[in-house]
Amino acid sequence: MGQKVNPIGIRTGFYLPWKSRWFGDSRSFKEFLVEDIKIRTGLMDKLKLAGITTVEIERMAKSMVVIITVSRPGVVIGRGGTGIEDVKKFILSVMRETRGKVVKDVKIDIRINEVKNPELSAHLVAGRIAQELERRIPHRRAVQKAIERVMASGALGVKVVLGGRINGAEISRVEKFHQGSVPSQTLRENIDYSQVPALLKRGYVGVKVWIHRKIED
């Protein structure tokens, strides 16, 4: 199998749940798929300050459940629940744009889950490394600090890969950092993975993070 398969994708349906859970016929499948992509992409961008990690979407006949996992739920909920209403309005606007008509008969339920330990979320760790690289912090220092925080939080292992014109080098290269155990072929292991681009002065540098977490009982 090697190490070129997305650790989340290969475990989806076998060990991890699907992030979109619904059934559609030949007419509605395309609409639902495009809506999911636009909703997930838009929420990941709009709720970046809330430390968003995943967006799960469940559809029933006349209802839709959007499960948002964030590290700071208060930022999403807002004062008096105004943030939840803004999220609903955004989802309705995406559905109206995709379907070309006003959607009135669908009930939207927003559920907010809190990340128990942000240091064990690969998306948050990769995002923090990317932010530090964009602030011109030396890449080795940024990565080593991130690895120390992850291991101190109880991870069994962590691997970080940087790829691109690191430190503005003329020729792009790949640097790997590793600590602990990160099995790539054991499907039953709890591996969290994410990749985030960092836009630097000389171009993009890709940040990939694998975190081997303990399996919760």
Side-chain angles (χ1 to χ4, degrees):
M1 181 174 64
Q3 299 183 26
K4 298 177 178 62
V5 178
N6 188 300
I8 303 298
I10 196 172
R11 289 170 171 82
T12 299
F14 172 76
Y15 178 69
L16 298 177
W18 294 87
K19 292 183 180 179
S20 292
R21 297 183 282 274
W22 44 264
F23 292 95
D25 54 26
S26 58
R27 293 180 56 189
S28 60
F29 184 87
K30 180 178 69 173
E31 286 184 351
F32 290 171
L33 178 61
V34 174
E35 284 177 5
D36 283 9
I37 294 173
K38 290 183 177 180
I39 290 172
R40 187 171 286 113
T41 303
L43 290 179
M44 292 295 287
D45 185 57
K46 288 172 64 69
L47 303 178
K48 189 177 296 184
L49 294 178
I52 185 171
T53 59
T54 57
V55 177
E56 301 177 54
I57 300 174
E58 298 178 353
R59 296 176 187 264
M60 278 68 76
K62 296 293 182 179
S63 63
M64 179 178 178
V65 180
V66 179
I67 305 171
I68 304 174
T69 305
V70 295
S71 60
R72 293 186 288 276
V75 178
V76 181
I77 297 173
R79 181 172 297 178
T82 56
I84 297 293
E85 294 302 320
D86 292 340
V87 172
K88 288 184 179 180
K89 290 179 182 177
F90 170 75
I91 293 174
L92 286 173
S93 67
V94 170
M95 297 173 70
R96 182 172 62 250
E97 177 187 349
T98 304
R99 303 184 185 186
K101 61 181 179 179
V102 178
V103 181
K104 297 181 179 179
D105 58 344
V106 177
K107 178 185 176 183
I108 300 177
D109 183 19
I110 307 296
R111 300 178 187 174
I112 308 298
N113 291 341
E114 183 178 4
V115 179
K116 296 180 180 179
N117 191 342
E119 297 298 340
L120 295 181
S121 171
H123 185 76
L124 296 179
V125 173
R128 188 184 300 115
I129 294 175
Q131 290 175 2
E132 292 183 351
L133 293 178
E134 290 173 351
R135 285 163 33 208
R136 299 186 180 183
I137 294 178
H139 68 283
R140 288 190 178 88
R141 184 195 304 173
V143 172
Q144 289 299 335
K145 283 186 177 180
I147 290 177
E148 291 174 2
R149 287 193 295 261
V150 171
M151 297 302 293
S153 299
L156 300 177
V158 57
K159 180 170 69 172
V160 179
V161 176
L162 303 181
R165 296 181 61 181
I166 303 172
N167 285 344
E170 291 295 330
I171 300 177
S172 63
R173 66 180 188 275
V174 175
E175 289 195 19
K176 300 180 180 181
F177 305 84
H178 182 277
Q179 187 170 339
S181 170
V182 184
S184 59
Q185 300 188 25
T186 309
L187 297 182
R188 274 291 181 181
E189 293 295 340
N190 187 2
I191 306 293
D192 192 18
Y193 168 80
S194 182
Q195 58 185 48
V196 175
L199 179 56
L200 307 184
K201 186 177 181 181
R202 297 292 184 89
Y204 277 104
V205 171
V207 181
K208 297 181 179 180
V209 175
W210 292 256
I211 297 179
H212 183 195
R213 303 185 295 198
K214 297 178 182 178
I215 298 178
E216 299 179 357
D217 298 330

